[in-house]
């Protein structure tokens, strides 16, 4: 695991954007694993800028999103499909036929999980998977205790995750309690992984990731077993480590 320390959120976004632009330009048919949340928003803004300046094209890009809330329609402003359209897809030359966000309202969710998994495999696998991290160490929506051998599945959200994500909803009762999430094994099958960590709220998770054991209690710790992971973390995320 290579760890790149940057000054702040902007520095993290800039570093991540330059890595992604390089990969997209280098690969003939790049397959990206995309994430939602506040963390990658700045990165997506920069990718849009790079696209507008003619430095990158998404014409040949395929993408798979990590997760989606169960029960939210594509046009629900809180769905991750909506997020991706608003924050990235609508502003670059990616074809919507080439993007796949799990369908959280599929009539057969188990089948939807299998389809997501199969579509990733059929694409040849994810070249670069982007990840954020939950304060409890979750990746995607794989909460502490999720087996490392998990594939795309329907998951129950932790109380703390529901609380953390309630900031986007009118009330905490509106936050879905389940999601479809790529599994940990699905994530680990990616050829390269970029983990972005920003802010003091993630400082404990970063400390546990860097200084702790590989354990299902901290889902992100599995990344230490992957041969090609880059963590980009800002000064605020280092506050717990720095205080030791
Ligand atoms: C959410 C998402 C994750 C994300 C994490 C952190 O629940 N499912 O993919 O990495 O929580 O979110 P944020 O970046 O807003 O802190």
């Amino acid at each position: 695991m290579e760890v790149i320390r940057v000054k702040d959120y902007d520095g993290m976004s800039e570093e991540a954007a330059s890595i992604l632009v390089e990969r997209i330009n280098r690969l003939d048919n790049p397959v990206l694993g995309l994430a939602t949340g506040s963390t990658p928003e700045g990165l997506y803004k920069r990718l849009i800028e790079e696209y507008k300046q003619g430095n990158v094209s998404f014409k040949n890009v395929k993408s798979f999103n990590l997760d989606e809330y169960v029960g939210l329609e594509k046009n629900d402003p809180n769905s991750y499909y909506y997020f991706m359209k608003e924050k990235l897809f609508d502003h670059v030359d990616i074809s919507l036929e080439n993007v796949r966000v799990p369908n959280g309202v599929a009539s057969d969710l188990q089948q939807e999980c299998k389809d997501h998994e199969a579509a990733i495999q059929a694409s040849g696998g994810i070249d670069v998977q982007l990840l954020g991290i939950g304060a409890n160490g979750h990746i995607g929506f794989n909460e502490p205790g999720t087996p490392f051998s998990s594939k795309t599945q329907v998951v129950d959200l932790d109380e703390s995750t529901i609380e953390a994500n309630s900031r986007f909803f009118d009330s905490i009762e509106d936050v879905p309690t389940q999601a479809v999430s790529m599994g940990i094994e699905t994530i680990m099958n990616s050829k390269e992984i970029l983990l972005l960590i920003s802010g003091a709220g993630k400082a404990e998770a970063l400390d546990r990731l860097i200084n702790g054991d590989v354990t299902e209690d901290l889902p992100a710790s599995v990344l230490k077993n992957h041969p090609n992971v880059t963590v980009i973390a800002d000064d605020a995320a280092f506050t717990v480590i720095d205080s030791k």
Side-chain angles (χ1 to χ4, degrees):
M1 217 169 59
E2 186 195 353
V3 181
I4 300 176
R5 181 170 176 161
V6 292
K7 191 165 154 272
D8 53 18
Y9 182 83
D10 283 346
M12 176 192 75
S13 305
E14 191 182 331
E15 183 68 38
S18 81
I19 293 174
L20 269 187
V21 166
E22 193 278 332
R23 303 299 188 268
I24 294 169
N25 285 331
R26 178 152 54 82
L27 297 164
D28 289 336
N29 295 292
V31 181
L32 304 182
L34 298 177
T36 51
S38 318
T39 306
E41 270 190 56
L43 157 65
Y44 293 151
K45 276 195 188 129
R46 279 172 193 268
L47 288 180
I48 293 166
E49 284 308 309
E50 294 285 348
Y51 163 71
K52 284 185 176 157
Q53 286 167 21
N55 299 330
V56 69
S57 164
F58 294 78
K59 234 171 42 197
N60 298 323
V61 168
K62 266 197 177 165
S63 75
F64 293 93
N65 263 77
L66 274 172
D67 45 19
E68 177 62 284
Y69 288 115
V70 167
L72 297 194
E73 301 277 353
K74 278 182 171 182
N75 62 2
D76 186 313
N78 275 312
S79 77
Y80 284 165
Y81 183 83
Y82 193 98
F83 175 102
M84 289 309 305
K85 286 244 312 162
E86 197 186 27
K87 309 287 184 199
L88 182 66
F89 299 158
D90 281 350
H91 312 283
V92 296
D93 60 346
I94 198 163
S95 160
L96 288 181
E97 284 168 19
N98 290 336
V99 309
R100 194 176 202 289
V101 180
N103 178 4
V105 292
S107 54
D108 184 344
L109 285 172
Q110 302 307 327
Q111 188 58 46
E112 174 59 19
C113 294
K114 285 191 190 136
D115 291 351
H116 200 62
E117 201 69 41
I120 293 171
Q121 294 228 335
S123 74
I126 292 171
D127 292 304
V128 190
Q129 174 67 56
L130 192 62
L131 292 178
I133 188 170
N136 64 0
H138 75 225
I139 48 176
F141 265 133
N142 295 291
E143 302 285 20
T146 306
F148 285 167
S149 59
S150 52
K151 296 282 184 63
T152 303
Q153 58 177 346
V154 177
V155 296
D156 293 325
L157 305 185
D158 270 10
E159 232 10 82
S160 64
T161 300
I162 292 173
E163 224 174 276
N165 290 0
S166 67
R167 67 188 195 276
F168 299 111
F169 293 79
D170 289 340
S171 84
I172 194 160
E173 284 77 36
D174 294 337
V175 186
T177 55
Q178 289 190 310
V180 172
S181 178
M182 271 189 207
I184 295 196
E185 197 176 300
T186 323
I187 293 169
M188 287 293 279
N189 283 338
S190 312
K191 292 163 199 143
E192 178 177 8
I193 297 175
L194 272 188
L195 170 62
L196 309 189
I197 311 185
S198 171
K202 305 289 172 66
E204 202 191 310
L206 181 62
D207 177 38
R208 289 176 66 202
L209 172 64
I210 290 184
N211 296 316
D213 296 333
V214 173
T215 162
E216 289 179 353
D217 291 341
L218 189 84
S221 67
V222 73
L223 301 175
K224 288 174 157 177
N225 293 339
H226 191 286
N228 192 2
V229 175
T230 305
V231 180
I232 307 172
D234 65 8
D235 282 344
F238 272 91
T239 44
V240 170
I241 293 175
D242 288 347
S243 71
K244 286 189 165 178

